[in-house]
Every structure is written in structure tokens, then in C-alpha cells.
Amino acid sequence: MAAANQIHQVAAAEVFGLLRSRAEGLSDREAEERRREVGPNRLQPPSRWRWLQGLIKQFVNFFSVLLDIAALVCFVADAIQPGEGMGLLGWALFGVSVLNALFAFAQEMRAERAMEELRKFLPQGVRVRRGGTEREVPAEDLVPGDVLLVGEGDRIAADARLVETEDLLVNNAPLTGESRSQALKTGPAKGRLIESPNIAFAGCSVLRGNGTAVVFATGHRTELGKIAALSRDVRRPLSPLQRETNRMVRVLTLIAVAMGILFFAYGVASGRSLWVNIVFMLGIIVANVPEGLLPTFTLALSMASLRMAGRQVLVKNLEAVEALGAVHVICTDKTGTLTRNELAIAALLDPVRGEPISDQEALRSLLKAALVASEVRPATANQGSSPGWAGDPMDVALADRYGELFGPPDDIIKETRRHFPFDLAKRREAGVFANNSEVLFAIKGAWESLRPLIGRLQSGVYTAAEADEDALAACDEVVHRLSAGGQRVIAVASRQLDSLPDPKAPEESLEPGLVLNGFLALDDPIRAEVPAAVARCHAAGIRVLLITGDHPDTAESVARDCGILTADASAEERILHGEDLERMRERDLVERLRAGVSVFARTTPEQKMKIVTALKRLGQVVGMTGDGVNDTPALKSADVGIAMGVSGTDVAREAADIVLLDDNFASIVSGVEEGRAVFANMQKFTTYVLASNIPEIVPFLLYVLLPVPLALTVIQILSIDLGTDLLPAIGLGQEPPERDSMQRPPRRLDQRLLSFRLMATSYLFLGLIQAAFSLSLFFLVLHQGGWQWGQELAENAPLYRSATGITLATIILMQVGNVVGRRSLRGSGLDRGLLANRILLLGVATEILFSWAILYFPPVQEILQTGPVDWETYALAWLGIPLIFGIDYGRKWFLRGRTPQFPPPS
């Protein structure tokens, strides 16, 4: 609307008239008419040509351009000298380029579709007032003029002008980039709209309090929408795994091109024809470039993400699969992650005697005060906290307990006139109840927070003892006893007021002289599977830190029950209080972390960021859990942000890389195991694929250096790289974690995917074995056919076709022995069960069948220009399987225990 730019400058009373709305909200008809006029409340979709831009991007990457140039050279060569098969080779190379580009494009589109599905999985509803009634509607249905109700934890869905606020504090970081909180008010403001303290902006989040606002901008007209329009096409920075894979492709391609150009120059210098040198150069390049490796990488990550989804771990970012496997530290919440988040009121305790309250009136008084200091509301169809109530689980448990003992607490909730939201710094919340007979101020929270405010202790209905130091010390002992048993303890206090306080009166003015009504002891049982999961982390060299806002005694009890703290660990050395953390400098925190502190109690979400920064100073890869709006900076700064799918806010889930669908710590550990398996599997199939490069390259080197026929043609090389190698490589990408994967320390940050050790194993060990054995059979067939040293053979000569056929069949069969050995980094590979991996089994069967078809099936012979050999020679080729498998296992046995696969972190 035209008035939107000046909406912040008018008084709150004028807002409704300016936006053609009213306090009771729009009618359904008005809302529908405005929705038709301005459209749904969502950002404009990307350009319809965005998919085409993404497709073109895949065709112009480094790898595709190299293959396209090689294909073009083949087409030119075929035009100069037709009938030599160069045209077919050109189409094969071009086909490889197209398939790689299409596959990468499909994966990119799949990721976008997955994010759309995630948005459906995590729908956003907003509370509005329409036609005088409060209701929840989809965020997309908001229109200018809607009366929007916002509260703690909400993400604001549209730009709105505030007309009522109650201790409202927001985080405008999505808009301003500053994570500093900002208090909002209702009065008019001058200056720029974006700097106004009376505007709730779309995309920002409510940290504390609640308010009522009138929507004035939706969708792309919001400030966030304007920024999104500018940044929509900005490319995201590459992830570490993407950088590593790109580095690998460049290294391998550089080797291929350098070797091709070098030996092309050698061929020209030695007087060979241009045609021979072109064929030779192309052969070297094709043999060195692992054409099928990149799709295999993406498939491995995709399949791992699917397996993790089956373990209740939803992966938003494919690269996070591997990153989770590299973590050194997991920082975890307590409630809902280590515990079941099933708060139950275990006891209601008398503050003087420290025993359960038996008097019914005293119980009613305590529960009434606790409810006045709570924020519960009747549950709607979309709020399943309880059959009757919605809100914080503890507040819902209070309403349910009151209902069980004394009937529905509707009157108490209805007549609670004012609520002071939970203050993270003070660790307490309060409320004011008023009816015709009494005005009651009640407060509940951490005992340490309420202790200085207590003037008297209530025991029974009419007795109230003075709160001297001895009485307060007795209360300290009660709280300590309950907290040490793992229970969460909430103190409840109240005082009668003479009249309803001024609506603007601060909470502090009502607090002096409180009467302590009693203590609530809350149970939240440890998840049965958590202690074993923590033990697995410790065995895997992963440190687990507990970060909670609970009492230090409760935190210590839970940490010991879970195994985060051992029985002999000193609480003074291993537990850090939030107040101490707040005063501590970063270097001092680093020293405490180095000394072994494992539990952070009475901490605030903002302090998580400080902990993450200190851990990174130690060179640690950090996984951080979070569920609240204030957790967002820590989730983003951690190497792997892990949000809660059940209890988490939309903001936290969007900031995270991974979402736990069941909020369970054990699911994180399962994800770590899968992540480690992904990196190990990538090394396995990279070693497997690169091993066949050497027997593909050596024939070209011998061909240019010695007077011998070419033992492999380019088309035959492609039949390995894009044919028989693919299924076994994909099968290796699906291998489950090794039995000891969670008994090794995390890999070092400087450990490369394409390391010197991997290349040496592939090129200088496995590859040379394959080259030596396959070329031995090549020359054996030539010798048996009467070939003489230096004799040239025509490409269609039966002897030449048989010799190249047995070379190709031998390499493929030796890859069978290679793939079995690659299944285990240290074992034989047979110990993992031959029938356990069906894709691998299908790949091995394909290799065996294809090795036979190369020699004895005419259609395949015609395409690959191969010929048959006698069965005795083919049987000799089968000896390559146990040969490479046995030598490789001997190497593993020799190195076992000498060089760890995962060196300890530096």
C-alpha cells in the first residue's frame, strides 16, 4: 500500500485507519479480496529460465569442456580420415559429457525439490485475529491489514506495524546482519523504516515477550523480499567436500592433459604420423580421466542421505553427510535430546519441611500460583501439546495436573491479566491474576533467581514462616537433593496485591516480599539408548559436551547417567557455570576446554556461540545442536548445525545442515557413523576406479616407445570407465560402516580425499599389477599367433583383435579381485559377506559376463573390435582375480598396525 513507507511515523491509534483495518481484524471476505489483489505471502519464485541457466552451467564446467574438446578433435579427425572409428569415439566422448552434465543437473534439481519437500514437512502457521476471533492460518494467507499476533519463538511472516507490545524483544539478524537483540515499542518513530523500533520485519524472530501488529507488506514487498530479489542469483560458496572433489578432478585432468601433450610432442619428434599422434594423445587423456567418478560421488552422498533419513536424520545439505563424520566434538542440549522431553510433575514440595504437600488447599494454592506465572492457551487443531492445552511442556503439565486434582483451570488462565515472559537472564517468569475477590502476583523459576526475593515461607494454608538464613539454607538443601537426583526444580512464589497494578509497572516493582509457595520437582527420563551412544562417541574419539540451562546439580546428574562425566570426574573441574562463562575471556575458556570441562550449566543460548568459537580455536570440528531462535548463530558457526525436528523452531531448522526427526542424541551418533562410512567409501571407490587407469595408460606408452601394437583402443578404455567400472564403484559407495569405524579417532582436517597414499596404492601398486598381468597375456596371444617383434598388425587382423580382447577381459576380471579387496580398508573384504551388497554383487556379475562377451559374443566383438581366444588362455585371465586380491591382502597384512587409516587429530 502507498502508506507503507510512512507507517512507522504515525501513532499506534492511527494505524488501523491507515491500513483500512480494525482491532478485531479483517473479515474472511476482506482477506480473500486482498489476497487476490496482492497475491500470496511468499517470495517471488526464481526466473522460469533458472533451470536452463543451471543446465548450461553443467555443460561449461572444466570437466565437460575437456571432453567436448576431445570429441571435437575426434570429429575433425574422422572428417580427415573417415572409417577409422574416430567418429564413434567422438560421439562416445560427447555422450559422456552430456550424461555427466545431465546427471549433475538432475542432482541439483533434486536438491531444490528436497528443500521444497522440507518446507512442506516443516509448515509455518501464524496466529491472526480475523472477525474478532484468534485463529492460526498458513503464513501464505497473510494480507495487508491482517492483525498479527506474535510471541516468543515465532518467526515473523510479514512486515507489520506494532500496536501493542509486552516486553517484546526481537532478533533482526536476518535483515540487518547484527545478532544483537532489539526491544520494540508502539510509539511513532522518525528516520528510515528499516531502523524503526515499532516495526516487526518478515524473517526476523521473537526472542521474548509478545505483541499485536498490523501487516502492511507481504511477499516480495517486504524488506526481506527486496533483499531476496537482489541476492536470489548469488552463488553459494563451495563446501569443503566440493572444493576437495573439484581439486581431485583438476589434478587428475591436469595429469591427463600434461601426459597427452607430452607424448604427442614425443610422437611428432620421433616422426610418427599426425594421425597416430592424435589417436595416442586422445587415448592418454581418456585413460587418465575417470569419466564416471563424479556421478559416483554424488550417488554415494545421495544414498548415504537416504540411509540417514531411515535413521531419523534429515540431511538438508548433501556435503553435511561427510562433515558429520569428521566431527571431533558434539555439543548437545539436554531436554529432548538426551532426555525424552516428557516432563512429568514428580512431586509438589512444602518449602519448610521439604516433603510432598498433602493438604489439598495448599496444593491448590501452589498450582494456582504456578499457573498464573505460566503461559498456556487452549490447543488448536495444529497444536498437539496436550488434548486441551498448548504452550511450554512444563506449563501444559501444570495445567493438566491442576485439572486432574481440581478440575479445568479455565478461570485461572482466563483471569490472568498480565504475563511477564520468561527472562533468560533472570531465569524466571511471572503473571498477575485478578478477579472480584483477589489480585495475585505470582512468579516461578530457578531457585537461585527467586531466593533473594523471598520474605516468607508458606507451610500449609495459613502458616507462613520468616525467611531467615537458616530457612533459606534448608531450602538450598532441598533443591540440591532433588537436583542431584536428576530432577528439574522450579520454585514458585506469590504475593497478594491490594489492586491491579499499572499496566506499565515493571516486574521488579512487584517482586519484593514474596511468599515461597513451594517447589515443583519435574522428571524428564534419560532416553534408554543415550548412554550407549555416548560410549560409542568416546570410543570413536569424539568428545561430548552437555550445554544446558538447568541447575548444575541436575546437569551433573544427567551427565553422569549418560556417561558424559565418569564416576571419578571432579565436578569442580568438569562443570562450568553460565555466570562464570559470561565473565570468562575466550583464551581462558580455551584453557578450560583443554583441561577437560564437559558440562555447561545455567547457560544461555547466546553463550553457545562463545563455546563454538573456543572449540574452533582448538582446531576442532564442531557439531552443535539447537532448537531455539537464539541457537541460530551457534548452528551457523558450527561446522555441522543440527536442529531438532520435533521441538525446534522454524528459524533453527532453516539455519541447520541436519534436522533430527526424533530429537534423539543416538540419531546423531548414527549420522556420525554414516558420515565416516561415506568418506571411507569415497576413498574405496576412488582407489578402485583409478587402479584401472594404469593398465589403460601403459599400452599407449609402450606403443609410442617400442615397436609393438597398441594393446587397448580408446573405445575399449571407455567400455571400462563408463561400463564395467560404474556398478562396482556405486556398490562400494553403498558399503555399510566398517565394524571398527566408531573405534577410531576422527580423521585429520588436512587428510585429503585424493592423498598421495591413495594415488600410490592405485597407480604404483594395484595399477602396475594389472598392467603387468594383462600385457603378459596380450603378448602371449601375439606370440601364440606367430607375431614377431616390430611387426605391424592391421586393426582388423584377427590376431590383433584377439590380443586386445584378452587384454581388455583380463583388466575387467582383475577389477573383480580389486573391488572385493577395496571393501575393507584393513581386512580382506571377504569377511564382510559376499552377498551383503547386492549392487556390488550385480556389478561383479556384470564384469564377469562382459569379460566373456568381449571374447565370444559377436555383437560385443563388433562394437569393441575384439576377437576370441582359446579357453585355456581365457582361464589364465581368471587367475588375475586371486593374483591381485592375494597380493593386495598381503600388503594390508604387512601395513596393519603400522599406519593408521585415520591419524589422530592434531
Side-chain angles (χ1 to χ4, degrees), residues 221-239:
R221 298 175 184 86
T222 63
E223 294 300 313
L224 187 67
K226 295 172 186 176
I227 295 173
L230 294 174
S231 61
R232 186 179 294 126
D233 297 321
V234 175
R235 292 181 61 190
R236 291 183 177 180
L238 296 178
S239 70

Side-chain angles (χ1 to χ4, degrees), residues 751-788:
Q751 185 177 348
R752 295 284 193 184
L753 181 61
L754 187 67
S755 62
F756 175 78
R757 179 182 176 186
L758 185 150
M759 295 183 70
T761 301
S762 296
Y763 287 157
L764 304 180
F765 182 73
L766 298 170
L768 288 180
I769 296 171
Q770 289 191 20
F773 190 71
S774 60
L775 286 173
S776 297
L777 294 187
F778 171 74
F779 286 113
L780 175 64
V781 170
L782 289 180
H783 176 72
Q784 289 174 342
W787 175 79
Q788 299 295 319

